[in-house]
């Protein structure tokens, strides 16, 4: 059985010179409705005009309302979709607010309406006929506004106007509470009222959608910020005389967390353990994996693991949690003795820390003894090296985002030596703690000529 094609006709609001003023617009004349099953296009010429007959300006064409000639060609304007049991319902003629004809599409039911609900439809006119028994109107079974609810679900981004009778005022108000932009009484309907109501409904729907999107964006941003801040570590250094500072800048746009990770804890024996690492990549998956490795490191450290045993266990965690076999992570771990004079250092493909002793310029710790990055070799080893710190020192651990920035417009990178010189100058100027890290990162960014594309994490421990 062929599906009937819904009708489409064009309606116009009576002409006024100049812009339409809703408050003074004349009432629209209701044209004679065509018979059932027929469609009307008000922009088509009448037979007399097509035959070349001169029709006086005061003589309306048969069955049509006169449209003044000075309006010129008809351009695409507003499109309204009328949904109702009577597809030939008398709706006053309208012009939109810029003088273009308003098109009206009609549909008997939701099936036809869904076919006609294209992107160029600006407003839906839902004709709520008097409530009928459920057995005669299955679309309203158990709910007098069931049709409206279905329309709102079908067209969540379209403005909806409800047409009803004055005797159904309570149901019309309920329709607005359900989600319609406004309601109109058919008994009092004219061109000016409908034109104004359509404008209001369309603009109000746009404002509602914009406000909803803004609210959702703000809530999502706030939730993401709280989540990412919660995933950043809180140093556990109670009882230690070491001072802690950190700087973290993800490379992803509008992100708070990247693939870099760090942590610092003090175990019951007085040893301070610090770690910094970098998961290859910059997306949310890499950020999540970095958080998993950090949490695993903290748990294993409190369980008493260190050095090669700790890194071997972290590699197993990485191998089970990574989404791709090619994902790897670099890591640097330091365990500082309770008296603060010595430290054990283990490197897994990570840049060596920068050590500044009292009265001496900063120097890079040896890297040659380090092992491969986690996730590259199944049976790798990571030897632990003892480092003498002295009585007063600063130890800076960092990720490669800090040293891979460019210098000027060329291809030269800052590198570890350039970073050591930069940090030394800042220390000589008296900067310490977070002030030192912020100043160093800003200078690295300025040398790069803009924001750094890689994640940057820097951790600083001081003993004075």
């Amino acid at each position: 059985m062929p599906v009937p094609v819904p009708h489409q006709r064009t309606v116009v609001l009576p002409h006024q010179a100049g812009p339409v003023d809703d408050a003074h617009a004349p009432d629209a004349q209701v044209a004679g409705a065509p018979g059932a099953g027929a469609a009307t296009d008000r922009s088509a010429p009448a037979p007399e005009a097509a035959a070349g007959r001169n029709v006086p300006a005061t003589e309306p064409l048969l069955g049509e309302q006169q449209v003044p000639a000075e309006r010129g060609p008809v351009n695409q304007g507003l499109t309204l979709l009328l949904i109702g049991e009577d597809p030939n319902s008398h709706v006053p003629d309208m012009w939109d607010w810029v003088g273009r004809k308003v098109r009206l599409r009609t549909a008997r039911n939701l099936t036809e309406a869904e076919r006609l609900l294209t992107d160029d439809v600006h407003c839906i006119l839902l004709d709520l006929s008097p409530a009928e028994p459920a057995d005669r109107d299955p679309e309203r079974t158990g709910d007098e506004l069931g049709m409206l609810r279905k329309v709102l679900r079908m067209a969540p981004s379209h403005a909806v106007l409800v047409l009803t009778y004055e005797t159904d005022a309570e149901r019309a108000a309920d329709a607005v509470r359900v989600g319609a932009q406004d309601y109109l009484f058919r008994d009092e309907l004219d061109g000016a009222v409908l034109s104004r109501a359509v404008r209001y409904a369309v603009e109000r729907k746009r404002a509602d959608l914009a406000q909803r999107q803004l609210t959702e964006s703000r809530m999502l941003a706030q939730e993401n910020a709280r989540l990412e801040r919660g995933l950043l570590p809180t140093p556990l250094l109670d009882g230690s005389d070491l001072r802690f500072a950190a700087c973290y800048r993800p490379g992803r746009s509008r992100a708070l967390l990247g693939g870099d990770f760090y942590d610092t804890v003090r175990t019951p024996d007085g040893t301070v353990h610090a770690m910094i690492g970098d998961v290859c990549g910059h997306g949310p998956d890499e950020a999540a994996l970095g958080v998993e490795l950090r949490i695993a490191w903290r748990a294993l450290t409190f369980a008493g693991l260190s050095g090669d045993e700790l890194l071997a266990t972290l590699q197993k965690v990485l191998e089970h949690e990574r989404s791709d076999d090619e994902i790897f992570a670099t890591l640097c771990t330091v365990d500082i003795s309770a008296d603060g004079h010595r430290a054990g250092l283990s490197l897994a493909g990570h840049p060596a820390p920068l050590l500044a002793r009292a009265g001496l310029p900063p120097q890079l710790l040896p890297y040659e003894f380090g092992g491969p990055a986690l996730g590259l070799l199944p049976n790798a080893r990571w030897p632990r090296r003892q480092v003498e710190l002295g009585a007063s020192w600063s130890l800076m651990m960092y990720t490669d985002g800090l040293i891979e920035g460019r210098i000027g417009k060329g291809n030269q990178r800052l590198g570890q030596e350039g970073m050591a010189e930069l940090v030394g100058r800042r220390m000589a100027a008296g900067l310490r703690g977070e002030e030192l890290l912020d100043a160093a990162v800003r200078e690295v960014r300025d040398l790069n000529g803009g924001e750094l594309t890689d994640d940057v994490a820097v951790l600083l421990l001081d003993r004075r």
Side-chain angles (χ1 to χ4, degrees), residues 350-378:
H350 199 87
L354 186 67
L355 176 63
R357 297 183 177 93
L360 297 175
Q363 64 178 16
L364 294 167
L365 294 180
Y367 173 79
E368 292 75 14
F369 62 89
L374 302 181
L376 293 183
L377 300 177

mmCIF file of all heavy atoms in Angstrom, residues 350-378:
data_model
loop_
_atom_site.group_PDB
_atom_site.id
_atom_site.type_symbol
_atom_site.label_atom_id
_atom_site.label_comp_id
_atom_site.label_asym_id
_atom_site.label_seq_id
_atom_site.Cartn_x
_atom_site.Cartn_y
_atom_site.Cartn_z
ATOM 1 N N HIS A 350 64.449 7.345 31.278
ATOM 2 C CA HIS A 350 64.026 8.701 31.626
ATOM 3 C C HIS A 350 65.251 9.616 31.795
ATOM 4 O O HIS A 350 66.317 9.146 32.200
ATOM 5 C CB HIS A 350 63.230 8.673 32.930
ATOM 6 C CG HIS A 350 62.383 9.881 33.139
ATOM 7 N ND1 HIS A 350 61.100 9.982 32.645
ATOM 8 C CD2 HIS A 350 62.630 11.050 33.781
ATOM 9 C CE1 HIS A 350 60.587 11.152 32.989
ATOM 10 N NE2 HIS A 350 61.507 11.824 33.678
ATOM 11 N N PRO A 351 65.109 10.918 31.499
ATOM 12 C CA PRO A 351 66.220 11.848 31.715
ATOM 13 C C PRO A 351 66.654 11.871 33.174
ATOM 14 O O PRO A 351 65.821 11.797 34.087
ATOM 15 C CB PRO A 351 65.642 13.202 31.282
ATOM 16 C CG PRO A 351 64.506 12.876 30.377
ATOM 17 C CD PRO A 351 63.938 11.587 30.872
ATOM 18 N N ALA A 352 67.963 11.997 33.398
ATOM 19 C CA ALA A 352 68.512 12.011 34.757
ATOM 20 C C ALA A 352 68.155 13.311 35.466
ATOM 21 O O ALA A 352 68.056 14.377 34.843
ATOM 22 C CB ALA A 352 70.027 11.843 34.709
ATOM 23 N N PRO A 353 67.951 13.265 36.790
ATOM 24 C CA PRO A 353 67.599 14.477 37.546
ATOM 25 C C PRO A 353 68.737 15.495 37.555
ATOM 26 O O PRO A 353 69.886 15.184 37.225
ATOM 27 C CB PRO A 353 67.317 13.951 38.952
ATOM 28 C CG PRO A 353 67.104 12.483 38.795
ATOM 29 C CD PRO A 353 67.932 12.065 37.626
ATOM 30 N N LEU A 354 68.392 16.701 37.988
ATOM 31 C CA LEU A 354 69.344 17.801 38.105
ATOM 32 C C LEU A 354 69.589 18.041 39.596
ATOM 33 O O LEU A 354 68.639 18.266 40.363
ATOM 34 C CB LEU A 354 68.781 19.058 37.449
ATOM 35 C CG LEU A 354 69.705 20.272 37.357
ATOM 36 C CD1 LEU A 354 70.870 19.995 36.412
ATOM 37 C CD2 LEU A 354 68.918 21.501 36.899
ATOM 38 N N LEU A 355 70.839 17.984 40.024
ATOM 39 C CA LEU A 355 71.196 18.151 41.435
ATOM 40 C C LEU A 355 71.995 19.432 41.613
ATOM 41 O O LEU A 355 72.989 19.665 40.926
ATOM 42 C CB LEU A 355 72.018 16.960 41.930
ATOM 43 C CG LEU A 355 72.537 17.035 43.370
ATOM 44 C CD1 LEU A 355 71.382 17.081 44.366
ATOM 45 C CD2 LEU A 355 73.478 15.873 43.652
ATOM 46 N N ALA A 356 71.565 20.266 42.545
ATOM 47 C CA ALA A 356 72.274 21.511 42.872
ATOM 48 C C ALA A 356 72.662 21.458 44.337
ATOM 49 O O ALA A 356 71.806 21.474 45.215
ATOM 50 C CB ALA A 356 71.391 22.718 42.583
ATOM 51 N N ARG A 357 73.963 21.379 44.609
ATOM 52 C CA ARG A 357 74.467 21.390 45.979
ATOM 53 C C ARG A 357 74.791 22.818 46.397
ATOM 54 O O ARG A 357 74.976 23.697 45.547
ATOM 55 C CB ARG A 357 75.715 20.510 46.107
ATOM 56 C CG ARG A 357 75.472 19.035 45.819
ATOM 57 C CD ARG A 357 76.743 18.238 46.054
ATOM 58 N NE ARG A 357 76.553 16.802 45.850
ATOM 59 C CZ ARG A 357 76.773 16.185 44.699
ATOM 60 N NH1 ARG A 357 77.184 16.891 43.649
ATOM 61 N NH2 ARG A 357 76.586 14.887 44.601
ATOM 62 N N ALA A 358 74.866 23.029 47.692
ATOM 63 C CA ALA A 358 75.107 24.382 48.216
ATOM 64 C C ALA A 358 76.420 24.933 47.689
ATOM 65 O O ALA A 358 77.468 24.288 47.786
ATOM 66 C CB ALA A 358 75.128 24.343 49.746
ATOM 67 N N GLY A 359 76.376 26.125 47.085
ATOM 68 C CA GLY A 359 77.569 26.798 46.593
ATOM 69 C C GLY A 359 78.079 26.292 45.272
ATOM 70 O O GLY A 359 79.113 26.772 44.790
ATOM 71 N N LEU A 360 77.412 25.319 44.647
ATOM 72 C CA LEU A 360 77.858 24.764 43.373
ATOM 73 C C LEU A 360 76.762 24.908 42.322
ATOM 74 O O LEU A 360 75.570 24.907 42.647
ATOM 75 C CB LEU A 360 78.221 23.279 43.540
ATOM 76 C CG LEU A 360 79.377 22.966 44.491
ATOM 77 C CD1 LEU A 360 79.531 21.459 44.655
ATOM 78 C CD2 LEU A 360 80.679 23.588 44.000
ATOM 79 N N PRO A 361 77.136 25.033 41.028
ATOM 80 C CA PRO A 361 76.118 25.115 39.979
ATOM 81 C C PRO A 361 75.410 23.764 39.824
ATOM 82 O O PRO A 361 75.961 22.716 40.158
ATOM 83 C CB PRO A 361 76.935 25.471 38.729
ATOM 84 C CG PRO A 361 78.308 24.965 39.014
ATOM 85 C CD PRO A 361 78.512 25.128 40.498
ATOM 86 N N PRO A 362 74.186 23.750 39.310
ATOM 87 C CA PRO A 362 73.462 22.491 39.124
ATOM 88 C C PRO A 362 74.200 21.572 38.149
ATOM 89 O O PRO A 362 74.834 22.033 37.189
ATOM 90 C CB PRO A 362 72.115 22.945 38.547
ATOM 91 C CG PRO A 362 71.982 24.380 38.908
ATOM 92 C CD PRO A 362 73.383 24.923 38.924
ATOM 93 N N GLN A 363 74.124 20.288 38.389
ATOM 94 C CA GLN A 363 74.725 19.320 37.492
ATOM 95 C C GLN A 363 73.781 18.132 37.307
ATOM 96 O O GLN A 363 73.025 17.770 38.213
ATOM 97 C CB GLN A 363 76.064 18.837 38.043
ATOM 98 C CG GLN A 363 75.954 18.085 39.364
ATOM 99 C CD GLN A 363 77.295 17.573 39.864
ATOM 100 O OE1 GLN A 363 78.352 17.999 39.413
ATOM 101 N NE2 GLN A 363 77.256 16.643 40.804
ATOM 102 N N LEU A 364 73.862 17.530 36.101
ATOM 103 C CA LEU A 364 73.035 16.376 35.798
ATOM 104 C C LEU A 364 73.656 15.122 36.407
ATOM 105 O O LEU A 364 74.867 14.911 36.327
ATOM 106 C CB LEU A 364 72.899 16.203 34.286
ATOM 107 C CG LEU A 364 72.138 17.313 33.551
ATOM 108 C CD1 LEU A 364 72.351 17.202 32.047
ATOM 109 C CD2 LEU A 364 70.650 17.240 33.879
ATOM 110 N N LEU A 365 72.841 14.287 37.017
ATOM 111 C CA LEU A 365 73.322 13.019 37.554
ATOM 112 C C LEU A 365 73.602 12.056 36.398
ATOM 113 O O LEU A 365 73.013 12.177 35.316
ATOM 114 C CB LEU A 365 72.284 12.424 38.504
ATOM 115 C CG LEU A 365 72.031 13.228 39.789
ATOM 116 C CD1 LEU A 365 70.993 12.536 40.656
ATOM 117 C CD2 LEU A 365 73.330 13.433 40.558
ATOM 118 N N PRO A 366 74.467 11.090 36.582
ATOM 119 C CA PRO A 366 74.814 10.158 35.498
ATOM 120 C C PRO A 366 73.588 9.378 35.000
ATOM 121 O O PRO A 366 72.704 9.014 35.775
ATOM 122 C CB PRO A 366 75.823 9.225 36.152
ATOM 123 C CG PRO A 366 76.387 10.003 37.296
ATOM 124 C CD PRO A 366 75.263 10.855 37.797
ATOM 125 N N TYR A 367 73.587 9.134 33.694
ATOM 126 C CA TYR A 367 72.471 8.435 33.076
ATOM 127 C C TYR A 367 72.871 7.044 32.587
ATOM 128 O O TYR A 367 72.007 6.174 32.411
ATOM 129 C CB TYR A 367 71.942 9.259 31.886
ATOM 130 C CG TYR A 367 70.889 8.537 31.073
ATOM 131 C CD1 TYR A 367 69.573 8.470 31.522
ATOM 132 C CD2 TYR A 367 71.223 7.921 29.869
ATOM 133 C CE1 TYR A 367 68.609 7.809 30.784
ATOM 134 C CE2 TYR A 367 70.262 7.248 29.130
ATOM 135 C CZ TYR A 367 68.953 7.194 29.588
ATOM 136 O OH TYR A 367 67.996 6.529 28.874
ATOM 137 N N GLU A 368 74.161 6.785 32.387
ATOM 138 C CA GLU A 368 74.607 5.586 31.690
ATOM 139 C C GLU A 368 74.160 4.284 32.353
ATOM 140 O O GLU A 368 73.991 3.260 31.690
ATOM 141 C CB GLU A 368 76.133 5.587 31.564
ATOM 142 C CG GLU A 368 76.684 6.653 30.637
ATOM 143 C CD GLU A 368 76.652 8.052 31.253
ATOM 144 O OE1 GLU A 368 76.441 8.147 32.491
ATOM 145 O OE2 GLU A 368 76.823 9.033 30.516
ATOM 146 N N PHE A 369 73.952 4.304 33.653
ATOM 147 C CA PHE A 369 73.604 3.080 34.365
ATOM 148 C C PHE A 369 72.119 2.736 34.258
ATOM 149 O O PHE A 369 71.675 1.710 34.782
ATOM 150 C CB PHE A 369 73.987 3.207 35.847
ATOM 151 C CG PHE A 369 73.243 4.316 36.548
ATOM 152 C CD1 PHE A 369 72.021 4.082 37.138
ATOM 153 C CD2 PHE A 369 73.776 5.592 36.594
ATOM 154 C CE1 PHE A 369 71.351 5.105 37.772
ATOM 155 C CE2 PHE A 369 73.094 6.615 37.228
ATOM 156 C CZ PHE A 369 71.880 6.378 37.825
ATOM 157 N N GLY A 370 71.323 3.600 33.622
ATOM 158 C CA GLY A 370 69.876 3.390 33.573
ATOM 159 C C GLY A 370 69.467 2.230 32.688
ATOM 160 O O GLY A 370 70.231 1.746 31.850
ATOM 161 N N GLY A 371 68.237 1.771 32.868
ATOM 162 C CA GLY A 371 67.681 0.682 32.078
ATOM 163 C C GLY A 371 66.698 1.206 31.049
ATOM 164 O O GLY A 371 66.468 2.418 30.927
ATOM 165 N N PRO A 372 66.064 0.305 30.258
ATOM 166 C CA PRO A 372 65.133 0.720 29.204
ATOM 167 C C PRO A 372 63.802 1.196 29.779
ATOM 168 O O PRO A 372 63.491 0.968 30.957
ATOM 169 C CB PRO A 372 64.953 -0.554 28.392
ATOM 170 C CG PRO A 372 65.144 -1.652 29.375
ATOM 171 C CD PRO A 372 66.217 -1.163 30.324
ATOM 172 N N ALA A 373 63.039 1.855 28.947
ATOM 173 C CA ALA A 373 61.703 2.295 29.347
ATOM 174 C C ALA A 373 60.827 1.088 29.659
ATOM 175 O O ALA A 373 61.027 -0.010 29.123
ATOM 176 C CB ALA A 373 61.073 3.144 28.238
ATOM 177 N N LEU A 374 59.834 1.294 30.500
ATOM 178 C CA LEU A 374 58.907 0.215 30.851
ATOM 179 C C LEU A 374 58.076 -0.167 29.632
ATOM 180 O O LEU A 374 57.563 0.702 28.921
ATOM 181 C CB LEU A 374 57.982 0.663 31.980
ATOM 182 C CG LEU A 374 58.635 1.120 33.292
ATOM 183 C CD1 LEU A 374 57.558 1.501 34.302
ATOM 184 C CD2 LEU A 374 59.551 0.059 33.844
ATOM 185 N N GLY A 375 57.939 -1.468 29.409
ATOM 186 C CA GLY A 375 57.101 -1.941 28.317
ATOM 187 C C GLY A 375 57.848 -2.253 27.047
ATOM 188 O O GLY A 375 57.220 -2.674 26.069
ATOM 189 N N LEU A 376 59.173 -2.075 27.010
ATOM 190 C CA LEU A 376 59.943 -2.336 25.795
ATOM 191 C C LEU A 376 60.548 -3.740 25.776
ATOM 192 O O LEU A 376 60.459 -4.444 24.771
ATOM 193 C CB LEU A 376 61.049 -1.291 25.636
ATOM 194 C CG LEU A 376 60.594 0.151 25.356
ATOM 195 C CD1 LEU A 376 61.807 1.047 25.155
ATOM 196 C CD2 LEU A 376 59.676 0.211 24.140
ATOM 197 N N LEU A 377 61.162 -4.162 26.873
ATOM 198 C CA LEU A 377 61.830 -5.465 26.944
ATOM 199 C C LEU A 377 61.198 -6.294 28.058
ATOM 200 O O LEU A 377 61.049 -5.810 29.191
ATOM 201 C CB LEU A 377 63.330 -5.286 27.205
ATOM 202 C CG LEU A 377 64.094 -4.473 26.143
ATOM 203 C CD1 LEU A 377 65.550 -4.304 26.566
ATOM 204 C CD2 LEU A 377 63.993 -5.135 24.777
ATOM 205 N N PRO A 378 60.834 -7.523 27.772
ATOM 206 C CA PRO A 378 60.114 -8.336 28.767
ATOM 207 C C PRO A 378 60.923 -8.672 30.006
ATOM 208 O O PRO A 378 60.369 -8.788 31.091
ATOM 209 C CB PRO A 378 59.726 -9.592 27.988
ATOM 210 C CG PRO A 378 60.689 -9.654 26.846
ATOM 211 C CD PRO A 378 61.003 -8.243 26.493
#
